[in-house]
Amino acid sequence: MARESSLITIIGEDGYARIRQTKCLLVGAGGIGSELLKDLILMEFGEIHIVDLDTIDLSNLNRQFLFRQRDIKQPKSTTAVKAVQSFSNSKLVPYQGNIMDTTQFPLHWFKQFNIIFNALDNLAARRYVNKISQFLSLPLLESGTAGFDGYIQPIFPQKTECFDCTKKETPKTFPVCTIRSTPSQPIHCIVWAKNFLFNQLFTDEDNKSDDEENKEWGTTDETEIKRIKQETNELKSLQKIILDKDFDRIPYILQKLFIDDIAKLLLIENLWKNRVKPLLLDESIIKNNCHDAKEKISSNKVWDINYIIQNFVAATKKLSQRMEREGSHIEFDKDDEDTLMFVAMAANIRAYIFHIPMKSVFDIKQIAGNIIPAIATTNAIIAGLSAITSLRVLNLLDKFASLNDVTKLNMAFTAMASNMTTNRYLSNPQVAPPNCKCPVCVQVVRGVVQTSEKLNASTTLKDLISLLKTKYGYQENDDVSILDIKDQRLLFDFDFDDLNDQTLEDLKFINGTIILLSDDSDNDLIKKPVELYFNINNNVDKIVLPDLHIPVIEQKIPQDNNEENEVLTVAENGEIDQDVYIIDGDESVSTVDNNDKKRPREKEDLEEIIQIAKAPKTS
Amino acid sequence: MNATKNNPAKQTLGEDEIALYDRQIRLWGLEAQTNIRSARVLLINVGAIGTEITKNIVLSGVGHFSILDNNHVVTEEDLGSQFFLTSADVGKPRIDTIKDKIVDLNPRVNFSIETDTFENLISKNNSNYDIVIGTELTKDQIIQLNWWTRSNNTPLYVAGSNGLFGYIFVDLIQFDSRDKKLQSIKQSALGSISPNKEIVSLEVTIDPEEPKKIYENLVTKNKYVPFEKLLCTATLEGKLTKRQLKRVSPILPLTLTYLKDTNMVSSNVSLFREELENTCEQLRIDPNLILKPEYVEQFIKQNGVEFSPVAAVLGGAVSQDVINILGKKQQPLNNFIIFDGVTLDMPIFEF
Ligand SMILES: [Zn+2]
């Protein structure tokens, strides 16, 4: 019996021959990626290309089994490939890079693959690869985990739901007044310390008091808004203490933040009608603790206020000593001990005076740093499911489970571990057809433009617009708009033509630039928007626009979006929202129900992916 | 039962361990991690599923991990599903070739090779282990092992696979699980909630930070049956509705029939097919409806085949449950799980 004999029993001789010819792209060599790499190798895939930007960190080692202590700080992609050589029969090609980098990974590079496996930890890259799979009609196996929760979703472009067909949760935001005046939860104090106070003191951004008029204040009390604005201005004077390394005045920072400003806040009586008033920090607590801490207490314990003040002073000193060296600008980083300590201490002092439970540094690190728990087992299960499903996606089980209808494919969620049900370990609904409202796979037509550097340098935006209008059946005077998708930059619309005479080169059109051409007329029926990928191909002597069929659709009235006005989000994705909803309301006892069309409607989306909903047990 | 009966005095975790295990401590807490570190786990057979279990449990930071591999010698076929092995290992005793790799995976774990034979081990009157996991065992071995774990009051997990299909059997004898969950519209109540589970304690608490969140703190008593009894008494009668009975996975009767005589598929296929009908009757399901011919064919064809991603799913589920009961987090599995790699169906049956 040979190495491949088991596999041949399952997929047959011809299936084996096919899998040896299959080239797959694995995006991510982290938690799921390490596991998937192992599975794909043992499934004898002919060629596996692995992309990962990251280097190995100590906290990866509890689950990313290809890495060791000695590999810390090494690139994940190349280290993973070295680690699997001993059992690999596949051609392995590692890349250290960002999958969204169009110079390293242009569209035609993706074309070489038969299937893409996503093993990513962030929303932006997931969305990007999903879009690439739509551009090239490549099957994609999407997956994600967070703690005990995990999911896999096979995606056939245009035939089944894409990653963006279901809404992803946006970051949790808080009204300004909750953060600045009336905190009631630990998270409010942490957001205040990290996103407001830390930035005011240690960063050099000029727009610190950014467009205050547009904020979601959460109050209409003019006195309070006035106070908040004044407080912001006053904090600039505190930054001088930091920049001057004026250590004797660090107690004044405490005095200003936790006594003077709170006293002013207390004067606004309206705020305290239905709330417990904060208490001013005792001056003697400040006075008695302006020395370095003598002992070291575990970061898992909630510290006493005296010890907190001592550590606040110490962290402030350290940061202020670093300011000169680091160009008067330090960014918060959960793994930068000084920044973490400052934020954790400031948040705790604020919690203390507002009668809010204080938290350990360990816990604050998780919230401020958006750390998502991660374990080996969930990653192994999810990677296993993704690998198994690829057999059906590639139609390698054609002898007994032929893929004549791709919507018969199953996706999977960790139902039991996520407390959704007690009678099945996985829930396995069949994939749904594309959502007719999906802005990514349904509401847009896609194509690739061939151009060259030379052409980009000689073509103005105006020229391009005229080419586009002619090619896609617009009249010369029709209103259109053009948006650069990457940074959501408006290039042109009916009342913005400032960029018209700039060349595409001036406008930073590079290989991989994606623009969205929309019909901006106010007719009831409009042309469907077109998304165009600019491919630099130095063999063309004129810009070649793709032939596309552009249907006419009904105009949608855009709705006001309040989210734009909200500020002070919790970094990228906010705290883990514990809100619950049932995503698989299974009746009772064990059933095998493959025809279920029950679908999770709203999936949670945290930084390390995850669209698994925490739901109460249903039995 | 107490999952860590042999533990030495529990020590608190050092800062370096907390840093290494950071991402899992954030999930199950320091106390659970300390419990995991003081536990002794035995794995019998380190094939495809055993390799996955070894990886997961060693990474988790268990205190002591032992393997009994029954003098297995590495074959070419093993290379196709076991990532610790390389082609140079063929013909050598498996456990000897992989032991350094296991230690290298997490040097903090105390790893040892169980030198007793399977027969010797189960004839002993005591056990050094807090948890025993058996993989790829024959029916008789499972029964004997289960007698032994029962007499030592040790939790037992058994897992195996046939190609794309697999199973997990769990016998924790009796286990009180504690969990805290948000109160849903359907509030919990004391008393029996399923054939093997009973809520014996219920306390309601309110989140001090967010008073709208009401939690139920539950103690659930889980009962289990020995493997031998499960084989003869497993039935779906009274457990499923008529509609549900029509949609039972064919993998359930196939797996149970296979477990009634793990050699039968290879030695006497026609007898296996006959027995399959009997199992359906025992389960109270209609063989004509449930036993899709292509499934029966594939199950027979894939008998004894190890497949890496299926092993990853089964090994992941077993390891997670072992960690859960050691850490006293989450509900334990109870008590028979099957996996269908075609549809990703993975129902849990209480037999
Ligand atoms: Zn879509």
Side-chain angles (χ1 to χ4, degrees):
Chain A
M1 291 288 241
R3 172 192 166 108
E4 63 277 9
S5 59
S6 297
L7 182 67
I8 290 174
T9 310
I10 297 169
I11 63 174
E13 290 281 357
D14 52 335
Y16 175 70
R18 270 159 64 204
I19 211 164
R20 293 301 293 160
Q21 295 299 317
T22 302
K23 252 185 167 180
C24 55
L25 169 61
L26 170 54
V27 193
I32 301 175
S34 300
E35 292 283 340
L36 253 172
L37 179 57
K38 170 242 324 168
D39 295 338
L40 299 180
I41 286 171
L42 292 174
M43 289 163 74
E44 308 280 328
F45 273 91
E47 210 169 308
I48 307 165
H49 293 232
I50 307 106
V51 178
D52 200 306
L53 178 65
D54 282 345
T55 54
I56 295 154
D57 185 77
L58 174 66
S59 64
N60 301 148
L61 302 186
N62 78 319
R63 62 194 184 284
Q64 299 175 17
F65 77 106
L66 300 176
F67 309 140
R68 302 290 176 269
Q69 200 106 20
R70 56 183 175 269
D71 300 322
I72 287 172
K73 295 211 161 58
Q74 297 298 311
K76 286 187 177 177
S77 57
T78 51
T79 311
V81 163
K82 273 184 213 146
V84 298
Q85 289 298 353
S86 65
F87 63 91
S88 171
N89 230 352
S90 307
K91 180 179 172 193
L92 304 172
V93 189
Y95 306 79
Q96 188 184 10
N98 183 338
I99 194 65
M100 298 190 278
D101 177 345
T102 50
T103 314
Q104 196 177 359
F105 308 113
L107 192 67
H108 58 79
W109 176 82
F110 285 92
K111 263 190 181 160
Q112 63 183 307
F113 301 108
N114 307 101
I115 185 167
I116 306 175
F117 292 88
N118 261 358
L120 281 158
D121 64 357
N122 69 86
L123 196 57
R126 281 197 162 80
R127 290 204 150 128
Y128 181 81
V129 178
N130 179 56
K131 193 170 265 189
I132 293 290
S133 100
Q134 295 288 332
F135 264 113
L136 298 175
S137 282
L138 270 180
L140 169 65
L141 265 155
E142 164 59 24
S143 63
T145 66
F148 294 121
D149 310 324
Y151 72 91
I152 66 129
Q153 180 192 2
I155 297 168
F156 265 95
Q158 305 301 312
K159 294 183 181 139
T160 71
E161 257 190 354
C162 84
F163 179 70
D164 272 317
C165 276
T166 49
K167 239 195 196 145
K168 306 295 180 255
E169 190 143 300
T170 48
K172 190 166 187 165
T173 58
F174 301 100
V176 175
C177 80
T178 306
I179 300 303
R180 298 286 296 278
S181 311
T182 54
S184 61
Q185 293 171 21
I187 178 80
H188 301 150
C189 301
I190 295 166
V191 171
W192 174 82
K194 180 189 151 191
N195 298 36
F196 171 68
L197 182 64
F198 188 90
N199 282 343
Q200 291 295 322
L201 297 184
F202 301 109
T203 60
D204 65 356
E205 284 148 37
D206 294 331
N207 55 345
K208 277 173 190 165
S209 53
D210 57 352
D211 206 4
E212 300 233 294
E213 300 316 310
N214 279 338
K215 283 184 179 173
E216 180 64 45
W217 291 95
T219 177
T220 49
D221 187 328
E222 285 302 322
T223 347
E224 196 198 343
I225 294 177
K226 205 172 135 205
R227 186 204 67 81
I228 291 176
K229 288 181 182 173
Q230 193 193 345
E231 190 185 84
T232 309
N233 291 332
E234 287 169 8
L235 281 189
K236 285 178 182 153
S237 70
L238 293 186
Q239 193 178 35
K240 197 169 175 323
I241 300 178
I242 306 282
L243 293 170
D244 294 349
K245 291 183 226 161
D246 194 354
F247 295 156
D248 293 343
R249 296 196 69 214
I250 289 179
Y252 175 70
I253 298 180
L254 286 161
Q255 156 106 25
K256 160 93 175 110
L257 294 175
F258 302 111
I259 300 177
D260 300 353
D261 287 352
I262 305 299
K264 282 186 201 156
L265 196 54
L266 283 169
L267 294 177
I268 309 173
E269 284 176 8
N270 274 341
L271 290 179
W272 312 109
K273 275 182 190 150
N274 300 308
R275 292 188 180 92
V276 184
K277 289 181 181 175
L279 127 166
L280 306 183
L281 190 64
D282 193 329
E283 270 179 75
S284 66
I285 296 185
I286 300 179
K287 215 179 287 163
N288 295 337
N289 291 293
C290 282
H291 54 80
D292 289 342
K294 289 190 180 70
E295 75 240 274
K296 196 165 166 22
I297 304 175
S298 160
S299 61
N300 292 287
K301 299 236 157 45
V302 176
W303 294 346
D304 141 279
I305 187 69
N306 293 296
Y307 191 62
I308 288 171
I309 303 276
Q310 290 161 25
N311 278 287
F312 177 91
V313 173
T316 310
K317 274 187 196 167
K318 281 188 195 154
L319 288 168
S320 106
Q321 274 164 339
R322 284 171 50 183
M323 282 294 267
E324 199 171 10
R325 263 188 323 220
E326 298 177 29
S328 303
H329 183 88
I330 300 175
E331 296 264 346
F332 172 83
D333 175 350
K334 68 180 192 309
D335 296 316
D336 176 336
E337 193 65 28
D338 301 333
T339 65
L340 173 66
M341 196 56 84
F342 179 87
V343 164
M345 296 305 105
N348 268 335
I349 302 170
R350 189 164 172 89
Y352 176 80
I353 60 179
F354 277 91
H355 319 283
I356 296 166
M358 295 195 285
K359 286 194 167 278
S360 69
V361 177
F362 183 85
D363 286 346
I364 291 174
K365 182 177 179 180
Q366 178 157 346
I367 298 167
N370 297 308
I371 296 176
I372 311 292
I375 53 177
T377 47
T378 312
N379 287 329
I381 294 167
I382 289 305
L385 294 170
S386 180
I388 295 169
T389 302
S390 72
L391 291 181
R392 284 185 74 196
V393 168
L394 295 166
N395 203 14
L396 290 165
L397 302 182
D398 52 347
K399 303 281 186 302
F400 57 100
S402 184
L403 192 67
N404 32 34
D405 176 2
V406 295
T407 59
K408 291 280 188 314
L409 278 169
N410 302 85
M411 58 197 301
F413 298 84
T414 51
M416 181 197 172
S418 303
N419 290 338
M420 292 188 267
T421 168
T422 53
N423 55 40
R424 46 178 62 194
Y425 201 83
L426 301 172
S427 95
N428 60 330
Q430 284 177 344
V431 295
N435 176 350
C436 61
K437 295 201 177 99
C438 178
V440 175
C441 71
V442 177
Q443 297 285 350
V444 70
V445 179
R446 278 212 166 72
V448 180
V449 178
Q450 303 295 340
T451 175
S452 71
E453 275 159 15
K454 218 169 124 195
L455 287 162
N456 280 2
S458 61
T459 310
T460 62
L461 182 63
K462 199 173 168 187
D463 299 336
L464 177 68
I465 294 167
S466 141
L467 283 173
L468 290 169
K469 281 188 170 174
T470 315
K471 176 82 180 174
Y472 299 122
Y474 286 95
Q475 300 303 310
E476 204 185 317
N477 294 325
D478 285 350
D479 282 334
V480 297
S481 69
I482 297 183
L483 194 72
D484 180 342
I485 290 288
K486 194 173 259 173
D487 46 8
Q488 295 290 307
R489 175 177 56 141
L490 183 70
L491 299 174
F492 175 81
D493 75 6
F494 69 96
D495 63 6
F496 178 71
D497 58 5
D498 302 17
L499 305 175
N500 268 13
D501 295 328
Q502 299 206 20
T503 65
L504 300 186
E505 185 187 76
D506 297 335
L507 293 169
K508 308 239 157 35
F509 272 49
I510 54 165
N511 192 19
T513 292
I514 300 175
I515 62 161
L516 182 71
L517 167 72
S518 309
D519 184 342
D520 266 10
S521 66
D522 46 15
N523 304 335
D524 290 344
L525 293 176
I526 55 167
K527 287 178 183 298
K528 210 171 184 178
V530 180
E531 208 171 88
L532 295 166
Y533 186 107
F534 280 69
N535 188 46
I536 306 267
N537 168 357
N538 287 330
N539 299 323
V540 290
D541 51 13
K542 65 177 181 48
I543 292 184
V544 183
L545 298 176
D547 295 329
L548 299 170
H549 167 69
I550 303 172
V552 169
I553 55 170
E554 263 179 69
Q555 168 104 279
K556 283 178 300 182
I557 309 298
Q559 287 175 347
D560 266 342
N561 189 350
N562 287 327
E563 278 164 33
E564 271 181 331
N565 297 331
E566 288 187 16
V567 289
L568 289 168
T569 62
V570 190
E572 254 221 274
N573 272 289
E575 68 166 341
I576 298 170
D577 195 347
Q578 296 291 342
D579 285 352
V580 292
Y581 23 81
I582 298 167
I583 85 172
D584 186 358
D586 225 353
E587 308 91 358
S588 66
V589 209
S590 330
T591 61
V592 181
D593 194 349
N594 297 326
N595 298 318
D596 257 358
K597 277 285 175 191
K598 278 177 238 155
R599 292 297 320 279
R601 280 295 148 228
E602 291 279 299
K603 295 174 199 162
E604 206 169 335
D605 196 272
L606 310 176
E607 189 185 50
E608 276 216 358
I609 1 115
I610 197 47
Q611 316 157 14
I612 301 305
K614 281 270 180 195
K617 284 175 190 147
T618 54
S619 56
Chain B
M1 52 120 266
N2 181 352
T4 53
K5 56 190 171 187
N6 297 318
N7 64 1
K10 278 186 197 170
Q11 295 164 327
T12 50
L13 296 165
E15 291 285 333
D16 51 341
E17 281 172 282
I18 294 174
L20 171 62
Y21 300 124
D22 182 274
R23 294 301 186 272
Q24 64 198 45
I25 290 172
R26 291 184 189 282
L27 188 62
W28 51 60
L30 276 171
E31 200 190 335
Q33 186 65 36
T34 313
N35 291 338
I36 291 165
R37 201 187 52 176
S38 52
R40 304 174 63 89
V41 176
L42 171 68
L43 170 71
I44 299 169
N45 290 345
V46 61
I49 299 176
T51 300
E52 286 287 334
I53 291 172
T54 301
K55 173 200 67 188
N56 297 336
I57 293 191
V58 166
L59 285 179
S60 78
V62 72
H64 194 110
F65 191 71
S66 285
I67 296 180
L68 188 162
D69 199 35
N70 272 335
N71 299 319
H72 181 93
V73 172
V74 178
T75 65
E76 284 279 347
E77 219 179 342
D78 289 338
L79 303 181
S81 60
Q82 299 164 37
F83 59 82
F84 284 135
L85 302 174
T86 73
S87 45
D89 298 329
V90 175
K92 297 179 187 162
R94 180 164 59 187
I95 191 66
D96 292 344
T97 71
I98 69 172
K99 61 175 193 280
D100 292 345
K101 289 182 183 167
I102 297 171
V103 172
D104 190 42
L105 197 56
N106 186 354
R108 289 170 189 279
V109 174
N110 233 312
F111 174 72
S112 68
I113 298 172
E114 173 59 71
T115 47
D116 257 331
T117 61
F118 179 80
E119 291 70 25
N120 263 338
L121 182 80
I122 57 169
S123 62
K124 284 186 173 168
N125 287 330
N126 54 20
S127 154
N128 288 324
Y129 301 104
D130 300 309
I131 291 180
V132 175
I133 306 163
T135 63
E136 320 290 354
L137 297 170
T138 64
K139 174 202 176 188
D140 291 342
Q141 286 175 323
I142 301 172
I143 291 175
Q144 290 164 3
L145 182 63
N146 198 185
W147 280 341
W148 185 65
T149 55
R150 281 235 156 198
S151 66
N152 288 302
N153 200 26
T154 311
L156 171 68
Y157 289 83
V158 175
S161 66
N162 289 298
L164 290 168
F165 316 108
Y167 71 92
I168 299 169
F169 162 76
V170 183
D171 180 17
L172 306 184
I173 305 162
Q174 188 178 307
F175 189 88
D176 286 351
S177 63
R178 275 153 227 282
D179 62 336
K180 182 177 179 180
K181 59 173 195 178
L182 270 172
Q183 193 168 62
S184 61
I185 303 158
K186 196 178 163 196
Q187 294 178 13
S188 302
L190 288 176
S192 168
I193 48 171
S194 66
N196 296 351
K197 293 180 203 158
E198 184 189 352
I199 295 176
V200 291
S201 162
L202 169 61
E203 210 180 299
V204 174
T205 53
I206 292 167
D207 188 334
E209 287 168 22
E210 283 178 77
K212 276 180 204 157
K213 288 185 179 168
I214 298 172
Y215 289 97
E216 293 177 342
N217 298 278
L218 302 163
V219 179
T220 310
K221 188 186 284 298
N222 280 267
K223 291 179 295 180
Y224 292 83
V225 297
F227 182 72
E228 202 173 5
K229 189 175 170 202
L230 182 144
L231 284 184
C232 5
T233 60
T235 178
L236 296 172
E237 193 172 22
K239 293 176 181 168
L240 297 187
T241 64
K242 260 191 181 159
R243 192 162 152 257
Q244 290 168 331
L245 282 172
K246 288 180 190 165
R247 290 189 284 180
V248 169
S249 169
I251 301 306
L252 178 66
L254 282 162
T255 304
L256 282 173
T257 311
Y258 160 78
L259 286 171
K260 283 177 182 174
D261 182 350
T262 39
N263 292 319
M264 195 167 27
V265 182
S266 50
S267 62
N268 192 341
V269 171
S270 49
L271 189 61
F272 178 78
R273 288 179 193 273
E274 271 172 45
E275 277 301 318
L276 202 46
E277 304 269 328
N278 296 336
T279 309
C280 288
E281 191 173 323
Q282 178 186 327
L283 287 167
R284 297 284 186 268
I285 51 177
D286 178 355
N288 299 321
L289 210 60
I290 302 299
L291 294 175
K292 300 185 188 98
E294 66 274 21
Y295 265 84
V296 178
E297 290 317 310
Q298 285 303 319
F299 191 92
I300 291 168
K301 192 176 171 198
Q302 298 183 18
N303 176 48
V305 163
E306 292 191 315
F307 187 49
S308 165
V310 170
V313 174
L314 296 170
V318 168
S319 310
Q320 187 54 59
D321 216 55
V322 166
I323 291 165
N324 288 347
I325 67 164
L326 289 172
K328 303 188 174 68
K329 293 278 161 178
Q330 307 273 103
Q331 287 281 339
L333 291 174
N334 190 346
N335 60 353
F336 195 71
I337 297 92
I338 55 163
F339 176 63
D340 173 354
V342 179
T343 60
L344 312 185
D345 201 11
M346 199 168 175
I348 304 169
F349 299 94
E350 285 183 30
F351 286 134

